[in-house]
Amino acid sequence: MGHPFPIREIARQAGLSEATVDRVLNGRGGVRESTAREVHRAIADLDRQRTQVRLVGRTFMVDIVMQSPERFSTAVRAALEAELPSLHPAVVRSRFHFRETGPAGELVAVLDRIARRGSQGVLLKAPDVPEITAAVGRLAAAGIPVVTLVTDLPVSARIGHVGSDNRAAGATAAYLMGQWLGDRPGNVLTSLSSGFFRNEEEREMGFRSTMRARHPGRTLVEIAEGQGLDATQYDLVRAALERDPEIRAVYSIGGGNIATLRAFEDAGRECAVFIAHDLDHDNTRLLREHRLSAVLHHDLRHDLREACHTVMRAHGALPPAGPTLPSAIQVVTPYNMPAPAVAG
């Protein structure tokens, strides 16, 4: 019977002597059938438990590299730190490399420093541009597994991706928008932080295609490159409102929602329906105040747990598993908000 366990470990598990285990494994006889069954049962038990055995005492140093507004990176940090106890008996230590905006070259420099210094894994949220894809390739060549978080780099050497089905999220937003606007006139403002984040592009495509199919007469007005930052977002929204007096609703794909609402208020305009993404601290407050209609949210703790497990599998510390399924999309309204402790 093939097995990866030392005789001493099997003997300890079975409560038998090493000599008895040796006789059973080598078929030398002189052992009762019930004793032989105990040896084989001990091997089966060890096989089921070997994931935990491999993890005991293992420390994984993981780098989290993100280009994102502070409100979202803060939510990711909180979600990871909340999940760390569930990863025991392994120990995951994390180094955070967050920035809100900037040229891709700065992000590449961070990734290249990690490749030189070493890491057990990188969790990455970055724009889908060739320079970033090349940097992921260098990390892979250095033996450092990369898992993309929230937004994917599908043609890179990353080993996995965690996040929601963004096309489905966009289609869900379109369904809600159509239901809530009904027959009322008005155009819909769609707002992206950047056209280089694949998750936002996919949300926009899901939203646009579903609106076209279900509400072909509804005009969509797009703004982009606000980076999810309040200062730039305010100017973009205010300019859009001045150009188009028919804008009555917002699908916010990339954030900056406080600034968007302020632009409506300063223009003396009503926002009849406002659908956003992610329960960060800004959106949680806006939803509680009924200033957002709904937030499309996915469980960041689940995503971070899956990302860490993917890194562990790359190091042989967990058994292989099938493809990671997309995170479930939750439609959160002011009336079904999660408790503050898990609202990240």
Side-chain angles (χ1 to χ4, degrees):
M1 176 180 185
H3 61 83
F5 309 109
I7 288 177
R8 179 179 300 176
E9 194 172 348
I10 298 169
R12 187 184 305 118
Q13 181 75 22
L16 300 169
S17 69
E18 293 181 31
T20 299
V21 172
D22 183 69
R23 283 199 299 274
V24 171
L25 296 179
N26 291 288
R28 284 199 282 268
V31 179
R32 289 193 301 270
E33 185 178 338
S34 60
T35 301
R37 285 199 298 270
E38 289 178 20
V39 171
H40 295 308
R41 188 180 304 117
I43 293 172
D45 289 343
L46 286 170
D47 190 57
R48 284 194 299 273
Q49 298 168 20
R50 63 180 173 175
T51 290
Q52 295 297 86
V53 170
R54 287 202 301 268
L55 287 174
V56 171
R58 293 288 298 270
T59 298
F60 298 87
M61 178 61 75
V62 177
D63 290 90
I64 297 86
V65 182
M66 296 179 58
Q67 179 173 312
S68 171
E70 177 273 336
R71 58 183 173 271
F72 187 73
S73 57
T74 297
V76 168
R77 183 196 293 266
L80 177 60
E81 291 176 348
E83 277 302 303
L84 292 182
S86 74
L87 301 173
H88 288 179
V91 175
V92 174
R93 296 175 57 199
S94 50
R95 294 181 293 223
F96 297 95
H97 313 268
F98 294 159
R99 66 174 201 157
E100 291 198 303
T101 187
E106 293 180 3
L107 210 53
V108 168
V110 172
L111 297 175
D112 285 343
R113 281 198 300 273
I114 294 169
R116 291 191 299 270
R117 182 186 60 204
S119 177
Q120 271 73 56
V122 171
L123 312 185
L124 178 62
K125 180 184 182 294
D128 185 10
V129 296
E131 307 96 287
I132 301 293
T133 297
V136 171
R138 292 190 289 274
L139 285 164
I144 300 173
V146 177
V147 180
T148 52
L149 177 67
V150 179
T151 184
D152 200 7
L153 304 171
V155 299
S156 72
R158 56 90 168 135
I159 63 166
H161 170 69
V162 294
S164 61
D165 182 333
N166 288 297
R167 282 181 183 260
T172 301
Y175 173 79
L176 295 173
M177 185 68 71
Q179 292 291 107
W180 287 337
L181 277 179
D183 295 329
R184 288 180 289 175
N187 301 337
V188 178
L189 182 70
T190 64
S191 169
L192 293 81
S193 73
S194 172
F196 292 107
F197 285 103
R198 181 170 288 268
N199 67 319
E200 295 190 18
E201 181 183 51
E202 291 174 346
R203 289 171 182 175
E204 194 274 339
M205 288 189 290
F207 183 81
R208 187 174 292 276
S209 63
T210 303
M211 289 294 290
R212 186 184 303 118
R214 296 178 61 89
H215 309 284
R218 187 77 68 181
T219 298
L220 305 183
V221 180
E222 180 181 316
I223 59 173
E225 303 309 319
Q227 305 301 323
L229 303 178
D230 286 344
T232 49
Q233 182 71 9
Y234 177 88
D235 292 340
L236 288 169
V237 175
R238 190 66 190 268
L241 293 175
E242 290 174 358
R243 289 192 304 269
D244 189 336
E246 301 304 316
I247 294 173
R248 294 288 182 271
V250 173
Y251 173 39
S252 174
I253 299 170
N257 301 324
I258 289 176
T260 297
L261 286 165
R262 191 171 75 250
F264 269 84
E265 292 165 2
D266 290 352
R269 302 269 287 275
E270 177 195 8
C271 184
V273 180
F274 197 134
I275 299 171
H277 281 271
D278 301 314
L279 276 180
D280 55 41
H281 52 75
D282 282 357
N283 286 345
T284 297
R285 178 169 63 83
L286 293 174
L287 195 60
R288 188 175 292 118
E289 294 171 354
H290 291 244
R291 300 176 72 194
L292 298 180
S293 307
V295 170
L296 301 180
H297 181 63
H298 62 280
D299 187 349
L300 284 176
R301 289 184 58 169
H302 170 271
D303 289 350
L304 271 298
R305 181 170 63 250
E306 287 299 315
C308 290
H309 284 169
T310 302
V311 169
M312 292 177 185
R313 290 188 189 102
H315 291 283
L318 289 176
T324 301
L325 298 177
S327 305
I329 301 165
Q330 306 168 33
V331 179
V332 184
T333 73
Y335 300 100
N336 70 331
M337 295 178 65
V342 295

